Amino acid sequence: MKYQHFSFWTDSVPYRWSQRCLGAAFTGLCNLEAHGNEHVPRKGGVLLLSNHVSYLDPFIVGTTARREFYFMTRDNMFGIPLLGKLLALHNAYPVKRGTADRSALRRTISLLKDGHAVLIFPEGTRSKDGNLGKARDGVSFIIHNADVPAIPVYLAGANCLMPRRSKWVRPAKLSTHFGPPIDFSEARETEDKRLMYQRMSRMIMESIGALGGLAHAAR
């Protein structure tokens, strides 16, 4: 799927044009492709759950999701010149990493209940080797309390575009893969909430991993 099929409408003119420019850049530099983004509902609250390998991940997913969304990022990132403004332009909001930031959790649930789309990286940090880690329980807490569709996303190639310790981008083939909503009905039958959140967390990473298998088979 090529860039012209990524386009979407939003009343935020700066956001719309920024995403168009980024989409054109990623497509030209990396031959960016999207698969399955029809699974992302065009309206209503929805949670996008993606693997995380580079600082560019929110912008890559943003160009292919066909919908404006919000996402959490470390609070100290907003103090970086230019990057802080770019993050704010793309609806990023702060989270205190390494702590149970209840304010960020409440804001996420509120955004979802108000009908917005939110992108979350369940692992909470970038992968060191490209492999999937464990999802944090806070993600399951959000899903359970917001009660909105949860769409798994696998981003392939971003670890080559901007490796973990690199400050520069490199040419790389990029693709995003969106899956159908995860069915948590069986996990929600568990009476012990802690156990329920653990089961939901495993299901999240299994769903993202399954998309990763399809992505790497296609490459």
Side-chain angles (χ1 to χ4, degrees):
M1 183 179 292
K2 298 301 182 182
Y3 169 65
Q4 59 266 28
H5 296 120
F6 301 163
S7 60
F8 63 94
W9 177 262
T10 171
D11 290 332
S12 174
V13 175
Y15 185 101
R16 184 168 72 243
W17 279 102
S18 179
Q19 287 289 26
R20 285 178 177 175
C21 291
L22 287 171
F26 287 136
T27 302
L29 180 65
C30 308
N31 194 28
L32 175 62
E33 294 183 353
H35 304 271
N37 54 8
E38 68 274 7
H39 291 300
V40 181
R42 305 305 294 273
K43 295 181 179 179
V46 62
L47 189 62
L48 305 177
L49 304 165
S50 176
N51 63 317
H52 193 20
V53 292
S54 86
Y55 286 130
L56 297 175
D57 295 350
F59 308 110
I60 299 169
V61 175
T63 64
T64 56
R66 299 197 307 166
R67 182 164 173 188
E68 181 177 358
F69 60 71
Y70 293 75
F71 66 96
M72 286 188 282
T73 194
R74 285 190 334 225
D75 54 353
N76 60 353
M77 299 291 285
F78 290 90
I80 300 176
L82 297 180
L83 178 59
K85 291 185 178 181
L86 184 63
L87 289 169
L89 173 64
H90 287 265
N91 298 332
Y93 57 98
V95 60
K96 295 178 181 178
R97 205 172 80 176
T99 66
D101 191 340
R102 295 185 178 182
S103 175
L105 289 177
R106 287 195 297 268
R107 182 170 184 181
T108 302
I109 293 170
S110 177
L111 285 167
L112 292 168
K113 286 187 173 182
D114 287 343
H116 297 288
V118 178
L119 170 67
I120 285 182
F121 301 108
E123 298 160 281
T125 187
R126 291 170 296 150
S127 171
K128 294 180 179 179
D129 56 9
N131 294 318
L132 292 176
K134 294 182 179 180
R136 299 192 175 185
D137 290 346
V139 180
S140 299
F141 175 84
I142 291 170
I143 294 170
H144 181 64
N145 285 275
D147 195 24
V148 296
I151 306 293
V153 185
Y154 188 85
L155 174 56
N159 56 320
C160 298
L161 176 69
M162 191 176 185
R164 186 177 175 87
R165 292 179 176 82
S166 174
K167 295 182 179 180
W168 308 101
V169 296
R170 309 170 185 179
K173 182 174 174 57
L174 292 177
S175 60
T176 52
H177 301 256
F178 300 82
I182 304 171
D183 182 3
F184 293 108
S185 56
E186 185 175 344
R188 281 179 166 143
E189 293 176 359
T190 307
E191 294 184 2
D192 186 321
K193 279 195 174 182
R194 184 174 182 80
L195 183 57
M196 178 185 69
Y197 291 152
Q198 290 174 350
R199 289 180 175 175
M200 292 174 71
S201 294
R202 285 198 298 271
M203 293 175 68
I204 290 168
M205 300 316 296
E206 287 172 358
S207 298
I208 295 174
L211 288 175
L214 295 174
H216 290 298
R219 292 166 78 89

